[in-house]
Amino acid sequence: MTNQLTIYTDGASRGNPGPGGYGAILMWGGHRKELSAGYRRTTNNRMELMAVIAALEALTKTGLHILVYTDSNYVAKAVEEGWVFNWVKKDFKDKKNKDLWLRFLTLYKQHHIRFRWVKGHADNPLNNRCDQLATAAADSGPLLTDEGYEREAAGAAQ
């Protein structure tokens, strides 16, 4: 399909929680764009999901057919197997990352998105590049604040 946007994503966390980052590669026709950012304290699952969100937020059009490659079963299965839609119905009872999932779902509704899981740290050069982007972002500064994580962590500490 020539009018399909392909996105590769990866998230990383140095410690879980700890400093983290995401990397994403967007490819459309002959064009390629890389995105990354680092956060001072977050989790791996949040960065996996944030990579997808950042890629979708970078888009200027709606209604696109998008194939997202991720090495995160948490993200891929949550969407492809419908878990996240049940989480919404139960207001994310006993589930983490509600803020990011709601942010993702707003973007998800604007496009036609499918997810494909790929084995991480294997022989996929684009997934490996996303890993490099994510870990470099986690290891460099200045790091952003993952406000959703910090709010959630503060609430759990009380």
Side-chain angles (χ1 to χ4, degrees):
M1 183 180 284
T2 57
N3 63 346
Q4 177 175 280
L5 172 65
T6 302
I7 300 173
Y8 278 81
T9 64
D10 197 20
S13 182
R14 303 296 200 188
N16 203 19
Y22 69 80
I25 301 171
L26 294 78
M27 296 179 300
W28 178 276
H31 302 282
R32 177 175 161 155
K33 181 174 187 169
E34 295 184 349
L35 305 171
S36 65
Y39 292 82
R40 69 181 189 167
R41 190 160 175 80
T42 190
T43 66
N44 188 69
N45 279 346
R46 287 185 68 82
M47 292 296 96
E48 295 283 1
L49 184 51
M50 191 61 213
V52 176
I53 291 168
L56 296 175
E57 286 180 343
L59 303 177
T60 58
K61 297 179 181 179
T62 58
L64 298 174
H65 290 270
I66 302 170
L67 179 57
V68 178
Y69 289 92
T70 178
D71 63 10
S72 170
N73 273 313
Y74 171 69
V75 173
K77 287 186 175 186
V79 179
E80 290 297 317
E81 297 186 13
W83 303 345
V84 68
F85 307 108
N86 290 325
W87 299 343
V88 169
K89 289 177 188 171
K90 297 177 182 177
D91 195 30
F92 292 84
K93 183 176 176 7
D94 302 321
K95 299 297 175 196
K96 294 183 177 182
N97 308 321
K98 176 181 178 179
D99 62 319
L100 292 183
W101 281 114
L102 292 175
R103 191 167 156 190
F104 164 77
L105 288 169
T106 299
L107 299 160
Y108 178 80
K109 293 173 187 173
Q110 298 173 19
H111 302 284
H112 310 281
I113 303 173
R114 292 177 301 124
F115 283 82
R116 185 155 305 141
W117 180 82
V118 296
K119 184 173 173 60
H121 310 285
D123 59 356
N124 186 308
L126 293 169
N127 178 259
N128 290 339
R129 175 62 182 150
C130 286
D131 180 63
Q132 291 171 346
L133 291 168
T135 55
D139 293 340
S140 63
L143 297 176
L144 303 170
T145 301
D146 181 346
E147 294 177 15
Y149 171 78
E150 301 215 1
R151 225 181 357 263
E152 200 171 88
Q158 294 177 355

